[in-house]
Amino acid sequence: MSRPAEVDNLGESGVPAEGMVRRAAELVPVLQERAHRAEQERRIPDETVEDIRDAGLLHIATPERFGGNGCDHHVSFDVAMELGRGCGSTAWCFSVWATHNWMVGQWPLAGQEEYFADGPSTFASSSFTPAGTLEPAKGGYRLSGRWDFSSGSYAATWVLLGAMGAHGPVMVIVPKADVMVIDTWFTSGLRGTGSNDIVVDDAFVPVHRIGPFPFGPNQPTGWEVHKRPSYRAPTGALLPWTLSAPLVGIAQGAVENFIQRAIGGSTPGRRADSAGMQMRVAESSAEVDAARLVLRHDAAEVVERGAIGDPFTDREVTRMRRDMSFVAMLAVRAVNRLFDASGGHALYDSDPMQRFHRDVHAGSHQTALFWDPVAMAYGRHVFGLPPEPGPF
């Protein structure tokens, strides 16, 4: 498929997408230095939040109307893969922050204007489970509920939350001042993401801050307002890459660490001259490269087809979901193989390899990446069987 002109996006001041990835690469050394601290504090350090803001990385997903730099959302996946080489928690939070800024482009325009009122680098956490209760009120609704797994909650100024509306699940935007962050994030991996619980007690939500549930039917696309190709594609074909991309970066970081370890190693069987080490790094690096290629191919296809208005079939969306989960599985396999051969020193908290290992497993446990239901959904579709009923 030829690449439409609409997809050849430039970043701020004419900087191409590659320039944004380059900015992310420049942050990798400092993220490596802060990764242990992020785990200890169980949140992204304030300096890292400012580095992301100063580099303009969140401008990628923000619509141009609100200061975005002209790149479409798929570029943020490349940035997340780059950041993951240094700190998996930072890559994970960046990826969800960027996706939230993209998603809000589907909200009523008044809601978008309020959300981006302070500029294009808006930080928002979320929890998609429709655990909230909406009660009608004049001009909107009253929202109450408790949600879990709200990544990047400390840096957020807004929170996107799932709730049950009159006709099914919806998403609502709530300012940070209206929520309580409950410190629950004591975990084995991705410790720095601060993916805490969120509690809202009878907060008012105006109608313009209520938007579409990302996997529901008949969604507004944002195309009419922003003319961005990704807004003419099914949300389900693009959204879960948010979670796969950081895992590919984490696996790449593990490959790089393993190479350094083997080159500098002195233990027989764990040095660079060991055939076993050579075979492991070859296989794992091939898996990471394959995962990256699948991700980039599928994400670019979504944007390219959005640019020309080419609709997706249900089978194609199911295939995308299959690929997103398979990419995560490739990343886990790659890290497992290297961790198994990294020796006892890889068990120390000070060693990056154990963090790569814990983080890639923690990320792969996200419901959207769980292989079994995704694989079965694809298999049922290609065999002509009706889909299993969904949770919502």
mmCIF file of all heavy atoms in Angstrom, residues 84-132:
data_model
loop_
_atom_site.group_PDB
_atom_site.id
_atom_site.type_symbol
_atom_site.label_atom_id
_atom_site.label_comp_id
_atom_site.label_asym_id
_atom_site.label_seq_id
_atom_site.Cartn_x
_atom_site.Cartn_y
_atom_site.Cartn_z
ATOM 1 N N GLY A 84 11.380 2.653 26.874
ATOM 2 C CA GLY A 84 11.420 1.388 27.587
ATOM 3 C C GLY A 84 12.806 0.813 27.731
ATOM 4 O O GLY A 84 13.059 0.018 28.644
ATOM 5 N N ARG A 85 13.724 1.193 26.863
ATOM 6 C CA ARG A 85 15.117 0.749 26.992
ATOM 7 C C ARG A 85 15.733 1.252 28.287
ATOM 8 O O ARG A 85 16.648 0.632 28.829
ATOM 9 C CB ARG A 85 15.942 1.251 25.806
ATOM 10 C CG ARG A 85 15.511 0.705 24.462
ATOM 11 C CD ARG A 85 16.249 1.421 23.320
ATOM 12 N NE ARG A 85 17.668 1.527 23.577
ATOM 13 C CZ ARG A 85 18.369 2.664 23.493
ATOM 14 N NH1 ARG A 85 17.756 3.797 23.143
ATOM 15 N NH2 ARG A 85 19.660 2.673 23.740
ATOM 16 N N GLY A 86 15.227 2.386 28.781
ATOM 17 C CA GLY A 86 15.810 2.960 29.985
ATOM 18 C C GLY A 86 15.028 2.658 31.238
ATOM 19 O O GLY A 86 15.607 2.304 32.275
ATOM 20 N N CYS A 87 13.705 2.780 31.158
ATOM 21 C CA CYS A 87 12.858 2.567 32.335
ATOM 22 C C CYS A 87 11.489 2.117 31.873
ATOM 23 O O CYS A 87 10.761 2.884 31.228
ATOM 24 C CB CYS A 87 12.758 3.848 33.168
ATOM 25 S SG CYS A 87 11.586 3.755 34.540
ATOM 26 N N GLY A 88 11.126 0.895 32.197
ATOM 27 C CA GLY A 88 9.849 0.361 31.767
ATOM 28 C C GLY A 88 8.671 1.126 32.336
ATOM 29 O O GLY A 88 7.662 1.340 31.656
ATOM 30 N N SER A 89 8.772 1.565 33.581
ATOM 31 C CA SER A 89 7.673 2.304 34.200
ATOM 32 C C SER A 89 7.445 3.635 33.501
ATOM 33 O O SER A 89 6.299 4.049 33.267
ATOM 34 C CB SER A 89 7.960 2.531 35.687
ATOM 35 O OG SER A 89 7.899 1.323 36.417
ATOM 36 N N THR A 90 8.538 4.321 33.156
ATOM 37 C CA THR A 90 8.403 5.589 32.448
ATOM 38 C C THR A 90 7.782 5.378 31.076
ATOM 39 O O THR A 90 6.904 6.150 30.651
ATOM 40 C CB THR A 90 9.768 6.271 32.309
ATOM 41 O OG1 THR A 90 10.289 6.539 33.618
ATOM 42 C CG2 THR A 90 9.665 7.570 31.531
ATOM 43 N N ALA A 91 8.216 4.345 30.365
ATOM 44 C CA ALA A 91 7.652 4.059 29.040
ATOM 45 C C ALA A 91 6.165 3.759 29.145
ATOM 46 O O ALA A 91 5.365 4.218 28.325
ATOM 47 C CB ALA A 91 8.389 2.886 28.404
ATOM 48 N N TRP A 92 5.781 2.993 30.150
ATOM 49 C CA TRP A 92 4.378 2.629 30.331
ATOM 50 C C TRP A 92 3.539 3.874 30.592
ATOM 51 O O TRP A 92 2.492 4.083 29.962
ATOM 52 C CB TRP A 92 4.257 1.652 31.496
ATOM 53 C CG TRP A 92 2.893 1.104 31.723
ATOM 54 C CD1 TRP A 92 1.893 1.655 32.487
ATOM 55 C CD2 TRP A 92 2.348 -0.113 31.187
ATOM 56 N NE1 TRP A 92 0.776 0.857 32.472
ATOM 57 C CE2 TRP A 92 1.018 -0.234 31.681
ATOM 58 C CE3 TRP A 92 2.853 -1.111 30.352
ATOM 59 C CZ2 TRP A 92 0.205 -1.322 31.366
ATOM 60 C CZ3 TRP A 92 2.046 -2.187 30.037
ATOM 61 C CH2 TRP A 92 0.735 -2.285 30.529
ATOM 62 N N CYS A 93 3.996 4.723 31.513
ATOM 63 C CA CYS A 93 3.233 5.931 31.839
ATOM 64 C C CYS A 93 3.175 6.890 30.653
ATOM 65 O O CYS A 93 2.114 7.457 30.356
ATOM 66 C CB CYS A 93 3.827 6.622 33.061
ATOM 67 S SG CYS A 93 3.441 5.793 34.606
ATOM 68 N N PHE A 94 4.306 7.084 29.974
ATOM 69 C CA PHE A 94 4.270 7.948 28.800
ATOM 70 C C PHE A 94 3.246 7.452 27.798
ATOM 71 O O PHE A 94 2.463 8.229 27.225
ATOM 72 C CB PHE A 94 5.632 8.037 28.114
ATOM 73 C CG PHE A 94 5.516 8.565 26.714
ATOM 74 C CD1 PHE A 94 5.364 9.924 26.490
ATOM 75 C CD2 PHE A 94 5.474 7.709 25.614
ATOM 76 C CE1 PHE A 94 5.179 10.420 25.203
ATOM 77 C CE2 PHE A 94 5.305 8.194 24.335
ATOM 78 C CZ PHE A 94 5.162 9.559 24.127
ATOM 79 N N SER A 95 3.236 6.147 27.568
ATOM 80 C CA SER A 95 2.359 5.588 26.548
ATOM 81 C C SER A 95 0.886 5.826 26.895
ATOM 82 O O SER A 95 0.091 6.199 26.027
ATOM 83 C CB SER A 95 2.637 4.088 26.389
ATOM 84 O OG SER A 95 2.132 3.592 25.173
ATOM 85 N N VAL A 96 0.532 5.631 28.166
ATOM 86 C CA VAL A 96 -0.868 5.857 28.528
ATOM 87 C C VAL A 96 -1.193 7.353 28.557
ATOM 88 O O VAL A 96 -2.299 7.759 28.159
ATOM 89 C CB VAL A 96 -1.236 5.179 29.870
ATOM 90 C CG1 VAL A 96 -1.065 3.675 29.774
ATOM 91 C CG2 VAL A 96 -0.440 5.725 31.034
ATOM 92 N N TRP A 97 -0.259 8.193 28.996
ATOM 93 C CA TRP A 97 -0.503 9.637 28.967
ATOM 94 C C TRP A 97 -0.760 10.104 27.533
ATOM 95 O O TRP A 97 -1.682 10.881 27.279
ATOM 96 C CB TRP A 97 0.682 10.396 29.547
ATOM 97 C CG TRP A 97 0.853 10.281 31.032
ATOM 98 C CD1 TRP A 97 -0.132 10.100 31.969
ATOM 99 C CD2 TRP A 97 2.087 10.330 31.764
ATOM 100 N NE1 TRP A 97 0.409 10.045 33.226
ATOM 101 C CE2 TRP A 97 1.764 10.182 33.138
ATOM 102 C CE3 TRP A 97 3.424 10.487 31.395
ATOM 103 C CZ2 TRP A 97 2.753 10.197 34.133
ATOM 104 C CZ3 TRP A 97 4.400 10.501 32.378
ATOM 105 C CH2 TRP A 97 4.069 10.352 33.740
ATOM 106 N N ALA A 98 0.072 9.642 26.613
ATOM 107 C CA ALA A 98 -0.091 10.054 25.213
ATOM 108 C C ALA A 98 -1.419 9.572 24.649
ATOM 109 O O ALA A 98 -2.128 10.313 23.952
ATOM 110 C CB ALA A 98 1.071 9.517 24.373
ATOM 111 N N THR A 99 -1.778 8.337 24.937
ATOM 112 C CA THR A 99 -3.029 7.795 24.421
ATOM 113 C C THR A 99 -4.234 8.542 24.968
ATOM 114 O O THR A 99 -5.220 8.760 24.248
ATOM 115 C CB THR A 99 -3.121 6.294 24.738
ATOM 116 O OG1 THR A 99 -2.184 5.598 23.905
ATOM 117 C CG2 THR A 99 -4.516 5.743 24.465
ATOM 118 N N HIS A 100 -4.176 8.946 26.226
ATOM 119 C CA HIS A 100 -5.291 9.725 26.772
ATOM 120 C C HIS A 100 -5.470 11.034 25.997
ATOM 121 O O HIS A 100 -6.604 11.444 25.704
ATOM 122 C CB HIS A 100 -5.050 10.026 28.248
ATOM 123 C CG HIS A 100 -5.000 8.800 29.099
ATOM 124 N ND1 HIS A 100 -4.334 8.750 30.302
ATOM 125 C CD2 HIS A 100 -5.521 7.549 28.907
ATOM 126 C CE1 HIS A 100 -4.464 7.547 30.819
ATOM 127 N NE2 HIS A 100 -5.167 6.796 29.988
ATOM 128 N N ASN A 101 -4.357 11.689 25.652
ATOM 129 C CA ASN A 101 -4.453 12.943 24.895
ATOM 130 C C ASN A 101 -5.018 12.715 23.503
ATOM 131 O O ASN A 101 -5.687 13.596 22.943
ATOM 132 C CB ASN A 101 -3.085 13.614 24.816
ATOM 133 C CG ASN A 101 -2.635 14.149 26.159
ATOM 134 O OD1 ASN A 101 -3.343 14.047 27.159
ATOM 135 N ND2 ASN A 101 -1.453 14.733 26.205
ATOM 136 N N TRP A 102 -4.745 11.558 22.940
ATOM 137 C CA TRP A 102 -5.346 11.202 21.652
ATOM 138 C C TRP A 102 -6.837 10.894 21.818
ATOM 139 O O TRP A 102 -7.672 11.382 21.056
ATOM 140 C CB TRP A 102 -4.616 9.993 21.072
ATOM 141 C CG TRP A 102 -5.240 9.425 19.846
ATOM 142 C CD1 TRP A 102 -5.227 9.945 18.577
ATOM 143 C CD2 TRP A 102 -5.991 8.200 19.756
ATOM 144 N NE1 TRP A 102 -5.910 9.123 17.714
ATOM 145 C CE2 TRP A 102 -6.384 8.051 18.413
ATOM 146 C CE3 TRP A 102 -6.355 7.223 20.686
ATOM 147 C CZ2 TRP A 102 -7.133 6.955 17.975
ATOM 148 C CZ3 TRP A 102 -7.099 6.134 20.253
ATOM 149 C CH2 TRP A 102 -7.480 6.015 18.910
ATOM 150 N N MET A 103 -7.176 10.107 22.833
ATOM 151 C CA MET A 103 -8.565 9.716 23.044
ATOM 152 C C MET A 103 -9.484 10.914 23.249
ATOM 153 O O MET A 103 -10.612 10.932 22.757
ATOM 154 C CB MET A 103 -8.673 8.793 24.266
ATOM 155 C CG MET A 103 -8.230 7.374 24.052
ATOM 156 S SD MET A 103 -8.385 6.420 25.596
ATOM 157 C CE MET A 103 -10.135 6.607 25.935
ATOM 158 N N VAL A 104 -9.001 11.906 23.998
ATOM 159 C CA VAL A 104 -9.854 13.046 24.327
ATOM 160 C C VAL A 104 -10.285 13.786 23.063
ATOM 161 O O VAL A 104 -11.311 14.475 23.054
ATOM 162 C CB VAL A 104 -9.138 13.980 25.325
ATOM 163 C CG1 VAL A 104 -9.858 15.306 25.490
ATOM 164 C CG2 VAL A 104 -9.037 13.285 26.684
ATOM 165 N N GLY A 105 -9.556 13.626 21.973
ATOM 166 C CA GLY A 105 -9.970 14.217 20.709
ATOM 167 C C GLY A 105 -11.288 13.686 20.191
ATOM 168 O O GLY A 105 -11.838 14.230 19.229
ATOM 169 N N GLN A 106 -11.820 12.631 20.803
ATOM 170 C CA GLN A 106 -13.120 12.078 20.431
ATOM 171 C C GLN A 106 -14.248 12.602 21.315
ATOM 172 O O GLN A 106 -15.403 12.272 21.107
ATOM 173 C CB GLN A 106 -13.072 10.548 20.520
ATOM 174 C CG GLN A 106 -12.029 9.919 19.601
ATOM 175 C CD GLN A 106 -11.892 8.428 19.835
ATOM 176 O OE1 GLN A 106 -12.207 7.912 20.900
ATOM 177 N NE2 GLN A 106 -11.412 7.721 18.822
ATOM 178 N N TRP A 107 -13.911 13.400 22.331
ATOM 179 C CA TRP A 107 -14.908 13.939 23.251
ATOM 180 C C TRP A 107 -15.633 15.134 22.607
ATOM 181 O O TRP A 107 -15.180 15.691 21.600
ATOM 182 C CB TRP A 107 -14.202 14.412 24.515
ATOM 183 C CG TRP A 107 -14.391 13.535 25.720
ATOM 184 C CD1 TRP A 107 -15.216 13.763 26.775
ATOM 185 C CD2 TRP A 107 -13.711 12.313 26.020
ATOM 186 N NE1 TRP A 107 -15.100 12.757 27.703
ATOM 187 C CE2 TRP A 107 -14.186 11.848 27.267
ATOM 188 C CE3 TRP A 107 -12.760 11.547 25.333
ATOM 189 C CZ2 TRP A 107 -13.738 10.676 27.852
ATOM 190 C CZ3 TRP A 107 -12.310 10.382 25.916
ATOM 191 C CH2 TRP A 107 -12.802 9.956 27.154
ATOM 192 N N PRO A 108 -16.727 15.582 23.216
ATOM 193 C CA PRO A 108 -17.323 16.852 22.783
ATOM 194 C C PRO A 108 -16.277 17.964 22.827
ATOM 195 O O PRO A 108 -15.411 17.994 23.716
ATOM 196 C CB PRO A 108 -18.438 17.085 23.812
ATOM 197 C CG PRO A 108 -18.811 15.709 24.271
ATOM 198 C CD PRO A 108 -17.528 14.924 24.271
ATOM 199 N N LEU A 109 -16.333 18.878 21.879
ATOM 200 C CA LEU A 109 -15.296 19.898 21.741
ATOM 201 C C LEU A 109 -15.118 20.726 23.009
ATOM 202 O O LEU A 109 -13.985 21.059 23.382
ATOM 203 C CB LEU A 109 -15.616 20.807 20.555
ATOM 204 C CG LEU A 109 -14.554 21.843 20.184
ATOM 205 C CD1 LEU A 109 -13.208 21.182 19.919
ATOM 206 C CD2 LEU A 109 -15.005 22.643 18.966
ATOM 207 N N ALA A 110 -16.197 21.047 23.707
ATOM 208 C CA ALA A 110 -16.077 21.822 24.939
ATOM 209 C C ALA A 110 -15.261 21.068 25.984
ATOM 210 O O ALA A 110 -14.487 21.670 26.748
ATOM 211 C CB ALA A 110 -17.462 22.163 25.494
ATOM 212 N N GLY A 111 -15.405 19.740 26.026
ATOM 213 C CA GLY A 111 -14.611 18.931 26.940
ATOM 214 C C GLY A 111 -13.142 18.934 26.565
ATOM 215 O O GLY A 111 -12.261 19.000 27.436
ATOM 216 N N GLN A 112 -12.846 18.879 25.254
ATOM 217 C CA GLN A 112 -11.465 18.939 24.801
ATOM 218 C C GLN A 112 -10.826 20.276 25.179
ATOM 219 O O GLN A 112 -9.673 20.324 25.620
ATOM 220 C CB GLN A 112 -11.416 18.750 23.287
ATOM 221 C CG GLN A 112 -11.954 17.423 22.794
ATOM 222 C CD GLN A 112 -11.866 17.295 21.286
ATOM 223 O OE1 GLN A 112 -10.852 17.631 20.676
ATOM 224 N NE2 GLN A 112 -12.934 16.814 20.656
ATOM 225 N N GLU A 113 -11.563 21.343 24.975
ATOM 226 C CA GLU A 113 -11.022 22.673 25.274
ATOM 227 C C GLU A 113 -10.700 22.817 26.756
ATOM 228 O O GLU A 113 -9.682 23.415 27.125
ATOM 229 C CB GLU A 113 -12.021 23.736 24.828
ATOM 230 C CG GLU A 113 -12.164 23.830 23.306
ATOM 231 C CD GLU A 113 -13.316 24.707 22.875
ATOM 232 O OE1 GLU A 113 -14.195 24.996 23.728
ATOM 233 O OE2 GLU A 113 -13.349 25.106 21.688
ATOM 234 N N GLU A 114 -11.526 22.266 27.603
ATOM 235 C CA GLU A 114 -11.266 22.331 29.038
ATOM 236 C C GLU A 114 -10.060 21.472 29.404
ATOM 237 O O GLU A 114 -9.209 21.875 30.203
ATOM 238 C CB GLU A 114 -12.505 21.871 29.805
ATOM 239 C CG GLU A 114 -12.404 22.073 31.300
ATOM 240 C CD GLU A 114 -13.690 21.702 32.029
ATOM 241 O OE1 GLU A 114 -14.649 21.245 31.367
ATOM 242 O OE2 GLU A 114 -13.724 21.868 33.267
ATOM 243 N N TYR A 115 -9.990 20.301 28.812
ATOM 244 C CA TYR A 115 -8.905 19.355 29.111
ATOM 245 C C TYR A 115 -7.542 19.933 28.724
ATOM 246 O O TYR A 115 -6.562 19.798 29.461
ATOM 247 C CB TYR A 115 -9.175 18.055 28.362
ATOM 248 C CG TYR A 115 -8.141 16.967 28.521
ATOM 249 C CD1 TYR A 115 -8.213 16.066 29.565
ATOM 250 C CD2 TYR A 115 -7.113 16.816 27.590
ATOM 251 C CE1 TYR A 115 -7.287 15.043 29.702
ATOM 252 C CE2 TYR A 115 -6.185 15.800 27.702
ATOM 253 C CZ TYR A 115 -6.273 14.914 28.761
ATOM 254 O OH TYR A 115 -5.349 13.908 28.883
ATOM 255 N N PHE A 116 -7.459 20.581 27.565
ATOM 256 C CA PHE A 116 -6.186 21.114 27.071
ATOM 257 C C PHE A 116 -6.001 22.601 27.390
ATOM 258 O O PHE A 116 -5.135 23.258 26.797
ATOM 259 C CB PHE A 116 -6.082 20.918 25.552
ATOM 260 C CG PHE A 116 -5.870 19.488 25.127
ATOM 261 C CD1 PHE A 116 -6.840 18.810 24.397
ATOM 262 C CD2 PHE A 116 -4.696 18.824 25.448
ATOM 263 C CE1 PHE A 116 -6.646 17.497 23.997
ATOM 264 C CE2 PHE A 116 -4.486 17.510 25.055
ATOM 265 C CZ PHE A 116 -5.464 16.838 24.327
ATOM 266 N N ALA A 117 -6.767 23.118 28.336
ATOM 267 C CA ALA A 117 -6.725 24.559 28.623
ATOM 268 C C ALA A 117 -5.346 25.028 29.053
ATOM 269 O O ALA A 117 -4.962 26.182 28.791
ATOM 270 C CB ALA A 117 -7.754 24.907 29.694
ATOM 271 N N ASP A 118 -4.566 24.169 29.700
ATOM 272 C CA ASP A 118 -3.247 24.571 30.188
ATOM 273 C C ASP A 118 -2.116 24.231 29.226
ATOM 274 O O ASP A 118 -0.937 24.402 29.564
ATOM 275 C CB ASP A 118 -2.974 23.917 31.549
ATOM 276 C CG ASP A 118 -3.882 24.464 32.638
ATOM 277 O OD1 ASP A 118 -4.282 25.641 32.531
ATOM 278 O OD2 ASP A 118 -4.201 23.713 33.578
ATOM 279 N N GLY A 119 -2.447 23.718 28.028
ATOM 280 C CA GLY A 119 -1.415 23.448 27.042
ATOM 281 C C GLY A 119 -1.431 22.019 26.549
ATOM 282 O O GLY A 119 -2.178 21.164 27.050
ATOM 283 N N PRO A 120 -0.597 21.735 25.554
ATOM 284 C CA PRO A 120 -0.626 20.418 24.897
ATOM 285 C C PRO A 120 -0.048 19.278 25.720
ATOM 286 O O PRO A 120 -0.372 18.124 25.482
ATOM 287 C CB PRO A 120 0.197 20.643 23.623
ATOM 288 C CG PRO A 120 1.107 21.779 23.966
ATOM 289 C CD PRO A 120 0.332 22.669 24.887
ATOM 290 N N SER A 121 0.823 19.584 26.698
ATOM 291 C CA SER A 121 1.415 18.519 27.514
ATOM 292 C C SER A 121 0.529 18.245 28.723
ATOM 293 O O SER A 121 0.889 18.522 29.869
ATOM 294 C CB SER A 121 2.827 18.903 27.953
ATOM 295 O OG SER A 121 3.720 18.908 26.867
ATOM 296 N N THR A 122 -0.637 17.700 28.466
ATOM 297 C CA THR A 122 -1.571 17.370 29.535
ATOM 298 C C THR A 122 -1.314 15.950 30.003
ATOM 299 O O THR A 122 -1.171 15.032 29.198
ATOM 300 C CB THR A 122 -3.022 17.510 29.047
ATOM 301 O OG1 THR A 122 -3.222 18.856 28.608
ATOM 302 C CG2 THR A 122 -4.010 17.191 30.152
ATOM 303 N N PHE A 123 -1.275 15.758 31.322
ATOM 304 C CA PHE A 123 -1.035 14.445 31.914
ATOM 305 C C PHE A 123 -2.327 13.949 32.555
ATOM 306 O O PHE A 123 -2.904 14.641 33.398
ATOM 307 C CB PHE A 123 0.060 14.515 32.982
ATOM 308 C CG PHE A 123 1.426 14.811 32.445
ATOM 309 C CD1 PHE A 123 1.793 16.108 32.112
ATOM 310 C CD2 PHE A 123 2.364 13.803 32.274
ATOM 311 C CE1 PHE A 123 3.057 16.395 31.612
ATOM 312 C CE2 PHE A 123 3.629 14.073 31.784
ATOM 313 C CZ PHE A 123 3.976 15.365 31.446
ATOM 314 N N ALA A 124 -2.769 12.763 32.146
ATOM 315 C CA ALA A 124 -3.998 12.189 32.699
ATOM 316 C C ALA A 124 -3.792 10.711 32.969
ATOM 317 O O ALA A 124 -3.168 10.004 32.172
ATOM 318 C CB ALA A 124 -5.175 12.382 31.739
ATOM 319 N N SER A 125 -4.308 10.237 34.086
ATOM 320 C CA SER A 125 -4.346 8.800 34.348
ATOM 321 C C SER A 125 -5.747 8.295 33.999
ATOM 322 O O SER A 125 -6.609 9.074 33.573
ATOM 323 C CB SER A 125 -3.989 8.511 35.809
ATOM 324 O OG SER A 125 -4.969 9.026 36.683
ATOM 325 N N SER A 126 -5.968 7.006 34.179
ATOM 326 C CA SER A 126 -7.261 6.457 33.772
ATOM 327 C C SER A 126 -7.524 5.133 34.467
ATOM 328 O O SER A 126 -6.635 4.520 35.064
ATOM 329 C CB SER A 126 -7.303 6.238 32.252
ATOM 330 O OG SER A 126 -6.446 5.154 31.896
ATOM 331 N N SER A 127 -8.766 4.697 34.361
ATOM 332 C CA SER A 127 -9.161 3.320 34.642
ATOM 333 C C SER A 127 -10.407 3.059 33.817
ATOM 334 O O SER A 127 -11.425 3.734 33.986
ATOM 335 C CB SER A 127 -9.445 3.099 36.128
ATOM 336 O OG SER A 127 -9.760 1.737 36.366
ATOM 337 N N PHE A 128 -10.326 2.119 32.887
ATOM 338 C CA PHE A 128 -11.385 1.936 31.902
ATOM 339 C C PHE A 128 -12.553 1.103 32.423
ATOM 340 O O PHE A 128 -13.640 1.129 31.846
ATOM 341 C CB PHE A 128 -10.827 1.272 30.646
ATOM 342 C CG PHE A 128 -10.009 2.193 29.782
ATOM 343 C CD1 PHE A 128 -9.271 3.236 30.318
ATOM 344 C CD2 PHE A 128 -9.981 2.015 28.414
ATOM 345 C CE1 PHE A 128 -8.518 4.075 29.522
ATOM 346 C CE2 PHE A 128 -9.225 2.851 27.601
ATOM 347 C CZ PHE A 128 -8.489 3.891 28.157
ATOM 348 N N THR A 129 -12.343 0.339 33.472
ATOM 349 C CA THR A 129 -13.446 -0.477 33.992
ATOM 350 C C THR A 129 -14.621 0.421 34.361
ATOM 351 O O THR A 129 -14.455 1.377 35.129
ATOM 352 C CB THR A 129 -12.990 -1.250 35.239
ATOM 353 O OG1 THR A 129 -11.860 -2.049 34.910
ATOM 354 C CG2 THR A 129 -14.112 -2.153 35.741
ATOM 355 N N PRO A 130 -15.820 0.144 33.834
ATOM 356 C CA PRO A 130 -16.967 1.016 34.122
ATOM 357 C C PRO A 130 -17.502 0.806 35.536
ATOM 358 O O PRO A 130 -18.641 0.360 35.740
ATOM 359 C CB PRO A 130 -17.981 0.623 33.044
ATOM 360 C CG PRO A 130 -17.642 -0.783 32.702
ATOM 361 C CD PRO A 130 -16.147 -0.904 32.842
ATOM 362 N N ALA A 131 -16.666 1.142 36.517
ATOM 363 C CA ALA A 131 -17.008 0.910 37.917
ATOM 364 C C ALA A 131 -17.749 2.079 38.546
ATOM 365 O O ALA A 131 -18.199 1.989 39.685
ATOM 366 C CB ALA A 131 -15.726 0.639 38.716
ATOM 367 N N GLY A 132 -17.879 3.192 37.826
ATOM 368 C CA GLY A 132 -18.514 4.373 38.379
ATOM 369 C C GLY A 132 -20.022 4.367 38.219
ATOM 370 O O GLY A 132 -20.575 3.778 37.288
#
